Amino acid sequence: MNNFIVDAHLDLSMNAMEWNRDLRKSIDEIRKREKGMTDKPDRGNSVVCFPELRKGNIGLVVATQIARYVAPGNPLPGWNSPQQAWAHTQAQRAWYKTMEEEGEIVQISNLTSLENHLSYWNASNAGNKKIGYILSLEGADSLVNLNNLEKAYEYGLRAVGPAHYGPGRYAQGTDATGGLGKSGRELLKEMERLNIILDATHLCDDSFREALDHFNGPVWASHHNCRALVNHNRQFNDDQLKELINRGAVIGGVLDAWMMVPGWVRGKSNPRDMNCSLEVVINHMDHICQLAGNALHIGLGSDLDGAFGKEQSPYDLETIADLQKFHTLLSNRGYSASDIENVLHGNWLRFLRSAWKK
Ligand SMILES: [Zn+2]
């Protein structure tokens, strides 16, 4: 059984342009090339590349641009001006374009390109199929002003998460507090006008509240687990999850070990000792299903290249191709065949078809 899979969160261009990974290569080649390097926590442990996405029948991904602005005194890594951050996202965009020219990937930005891609992917048995990608912006700091958002929409940007980690220029993110302010509310208004999806992931509680109150367009949470199971502000509590469900959101189960099992210590814990297997994320997804009363609001948003690799992923995952294991795991947990199809791709596709129908 090799089901079509949608992964709603990968940082492909960050891996290409900051981790210096040529994602056209095999996972062995990428890992070998990084032997002895220590500049990033996941060197030699990557699990995502184009061949592995194809092997896992992961034919559609939401892929990010990401660049943070840091004010003086902000200890997080980032750029010292929004203009530099914008330029960095443009380098990331240039990489996506280059990969399109190489025939590796194809951009999906509307209903027609989505339907065409699905027919193409499902009909073709070629070994080098073009992977569909929907462009998303993780953290909006790099939008110097709202003209940049319109420009980005024109080149295909279809989802924005206003915040990432820490304080942001438009919203407050993970580990930060506070609302959107005027700039954030204006951003949401412009997103609504352009029909850009709001990614609620990474919004702190205050900003989440304000964002949902002010935004009337489509909302998803591309990569998000449950606070009820792992208590951290990065995760959504049950009230937030219920609100997202009521708004028709789909919430992507994320495979970063620290968001899956309680008590994970970065750089110290290891997946096997912590009993962190793929099965664990189903506990999170199942929790959401219990709140919803159905399996229509969950999907996968693996984040498997989000500055971590094998050292911080479920122990029964060697590469992203192992997302295919969810078919059996969900079936063992009692999910019906149609539920499984919805979780692996149907829910994201339904969401996109509805968001893009006008
Ligand atoms: Zn990310």
Side-chain angles (χ1 to χ4, degrees), residues 9 11 138 223 303:
H9 190 82
D11 295 310
E138 186 168 26
H223 55 310
D303 201 16

Side-chain angles (χ1 to χ4, degrees), residues 14 36 121 124 150 161 205 211 245 306 341:
M14 181 188 89
W121 185 272
S124 168
E150 188 155 19
D205 291 353
I245 291 162
E341 273 186 27

Side-chain angles (χ1 to χ4, degrees), residues 9-11 14 64-66 138 164-165 201-202 222-223 234 303 305-307:
H9 190 82
L10 289 174
D11 295 310
M14 181 188 89
T64 63
Q65 295 170 294
I66 178 168
E138 186 168 26
H164 190 227
Y165 280 85
T201 294
H202 281 296
S222 62
H223 55 310
R234 166 71 177 80
D303 201 16
D305 57 1

Side-chain angles (χ1 to χ4, degrees), residues 50-104:
F50 296 150
E52 292 301 317
L53 284 166
R54 293 185 186 108
K55 203 201 282 179
N57 202 15
I58 304 156
L60 180 62
V61 303
V62 180
T64 63
Q65 295 170 294
I66 178 168
R68 178 186 294 113
Y69 160 70
V70 283
N74 183 341
L76 293 170
W79 296 99
N80 289 355
S81 70
Q83 288 78 2
Q84 287 167 282
W86 168 257
H88 189 66
T89 62
Q90 297 316 293
Q92 294 173 336
R93 179 194 161 215
W95 176 78
Y96 285 118
K97 281 295 162 210
T98 307
M99 289 302 101
E100 283 185 52
E101 285 156 18
E102 292 289 315
E104 296 280 345

Side-chain angles (χ1 to χ4, degrees), residues 223-236:
H223 55 310
H224 228 116
N225 289 343
C226 305
R227 202 177 292 179
L229 302 186
V230 177
N231 186 11
H232 189 281
N233 73 76
R234 166 71 177 80
Q235 321 261 71
F236 283 138

